Amino acid sequence: MTTAPNSGEPRWLTAEEQRVWRSYLHATTLLEDSLDRQLQREAGMPHVYYGLLVQLAEAPCRRLRMTELAKDAKITRSRLSHAIARLEKNGWVRREDCPNDRRGQNACLTDEGFEVLGKAATGHVSAVRQALFDRLSPEQVRQLGEITRIVAEGLQPDGTGADLPWLR
């Protein structure tokens, strides 16, 4: 059931769109769960913590302002604060005051955290490859990249995706 965009009525998904949407949701839920379990089992951390460590490892001087880290990770500052506290307890991250803003803090990846990330990355990459890329042909990988780039660009606040280097 579809209606014209300006009619005020919802434009419902077609049967095919509904099938694809539900398949997408199911696949992404299973993928995230699989990757989370693998990281918990092999590295003792959830997928979201791994993502935070990756962001810090890729940042200049392996440090990011907490507000920027939360924004980039798409999590609340409260959830980030809890995650950073756990990562600090493990010795993988430390907090530092921002030199130019007394209210701000930076999260810094420690040498130990960098080493843990390096060890976790081997198993994680293997799990990503097995769960996703080994199941697709090179053409399907290219198509998936194009599709996800288009979706991500359209969902960026400014619509460009310019702040996401992996989309370029």
Side-chain angles (χ1 to χ4, degrees):
M1 170 190 315
T2 62
T3 60
N6 296 328
S7 72
E9 293 290 320
R11 188 169 160 244
W12 298 104
L13 299 178
T14 66
E16 177 66 4
E17 289 168 337
Q18 186 69 251
R19 184 192 66 72
V20 169
W21 173 243
R22 289 182 181 187
S23 177
Y24 168 81
L25 287 176
H26 188 66
T28 55
T29 299
L30 289 172
L31 179 61
E32 184 65 29
D33 183 58
S34 175
L35 296 176
D36 198 58
R37 281 185 284 114
Q38 176 271 324
L39 281 165
Q40 285 283 11
R41 185 177 57 252
E42 294 181 19
M45 73 178 87
H47 196 209
V48 69
Y49 290 14
Y50 179 86
L52 294 172
L53 295 179
V54 167
Q55 281 184 260
L56 291 172
E58 293 175 345
C61 301
R62 299 193 317 210
R63 78 175 25 90
L64 276 174
R65 210 177 148 102
M66 293 280 284
T67 52
E68 191 68 23
L69 188 57
K71 183 184 126 217
D72 291 349
K74 302 293 185 237
I75 60 176
T76 64
R77 285 189 286 178
S78 171
R79 186 172 178 205
L80 175 67
S81 185
H82 176 74
I84 294 299
R86 295 279 310 272
L87 293 170
E88 278 183 304
K89 186 177 174 185
N90 290 341
W92 302 344
V93 171
R94 73 176 176 280
R95 292 182 218 220
E96 295 177 348
D97 291 332
C98 291
N100 55 351
D101 179 359
R102 289 189 301 169
R103 293 179 300 160
Q105 283 194 315
N106 291 323
C108 307
L109 183 64
T110 65
D111 290 342
E112 183 181 350
F114 190 73
E115 191 175 311
V116 165
L117 177 62
K119 290 176 184 172
T122 303
H124 181 65
V125 168
S126 202
V128 169
R129 181 165 297 291
Q130 182 181 16
L132 183 64
F133 294 108
D134 289 351
R135 299 171 188 274
L136 302 175
S137 70
E139 178 59 19
Q140 288 171 320
V141 169
R142 189 196 63 72
Q143 290 171 346
L144 180 62
E146 179 68 9
I147 290 165
T148 54
R149 182 189 59 77
I150 290 167
V151 171
E153 283 180 352
L155 293 172
Q156 288 300 329
D158 63 3
T160 66
D163 61 337
L164 301 174
W166 59 87
L167 290 179
R168 293 183 217 130

